[in-house]
């Protein structure tokens, strides 16, 4: 059974702007365990669903897509954003 994870895209630590924030991401959870390749030693599996990432503008669109396709899903809560206002002069106190 395929299970999807729906979460809101967070802003990256190196991203100063707000482009592409607020979008919702649908990712599939891993169905097979990773196993090392005997030749190279790299971890991998035959599960290719983990490579699929679909973005939606709203949470409701992502949920409607899962229900239309018959995909089980769960929502991942977003962490609240805390802004720490600090002046440059505070580094020298």
């Amino acid at each position: 059974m395929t299970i999807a994870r729906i979460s809101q895209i967070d802003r990256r630590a190196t991203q100063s702007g707000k482009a592409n924030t607020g979008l919702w991401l649908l990712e599939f959870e891993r169905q097979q365990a990773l196993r090392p390749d005997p030749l190279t030693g790299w971890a991998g599996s035959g599960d290719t669903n983990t490579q699929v990432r679909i973005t939606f503008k709203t949470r409701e669109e992502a949920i409607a897509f899962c229900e239309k396709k018959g995909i089980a899903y769960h929502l991942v809560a977003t962490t609240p954003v805390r802004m720490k206002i600090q002046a440059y002069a505070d580094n020298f106190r």
Side-chain angles (χ1 to χ4, degrees), residues 44-57:
S45 72
D47 185 17
T48 58
N49 281 340
T50 56
Q51 300 171 8
V52 177
R53 300 179 66 176
I54 306 171
T55 56
F56 297 93
K57 290 186 180 186

Side-chain angles (χ1 to χ4, degrees), residues 36-42:
D37 183 47
L39 182 62
T40 62
W42 294 357

Side-chain angles (χ1 to χ4, degrees), residues 3 27 34 36 41 54 62 67 80:
I3 300 173
E27 297 176 301
L34 292 176
I54 306 171
E67 290 175 351

Side-chain angles (χ1 to χ4, degrees), residues 2-85:
T2 306
I3 300 173
R5 181 179 344 138
I6 299 173
S7 62
Q8 196 169 16
I9 297 177
D10 291 333
R11 195 178 79 191
R12 304 281 185 234
T14 58
Q15 181 180 1
S16 61
K18 294 184 177 173
N20 295 330
T21 57
L23 294 177
W24 289 82
L25 178 68
L26 182 135
E27 297 176 301
F28 292 100
E29 293 187 354
R30 187 171 304 281
Q31 300 297 315
Q32 295 178 357
L34 292 176
R35 59 186 185 279
D37 183 47
L39 182 62
T40 62
W42 294 357
S45 72
D47 185 17
T48 58
N49 281 340
T50 56
Q51 300 171 8
V52 177
R53 300 179 66 176
I54 306 171
T55 56
F56 297 93
K57 290 186 180 186
T58 63
R59 179 181 64 168
E60 288 75 23
E61 287 180 9
I63 292 172
F65 177 81
C66 288
E67 290 175 351
K68 179 181 176 184
K69 301 292 183 180
I71 301 169
Y73 66 91
H74 68 274
L75 295 171
V76 177
T78 58
T79 57
V81 177
R82 286 185 245 132
M83 296 289 292
K84 181 179 178 184
I85 307 299

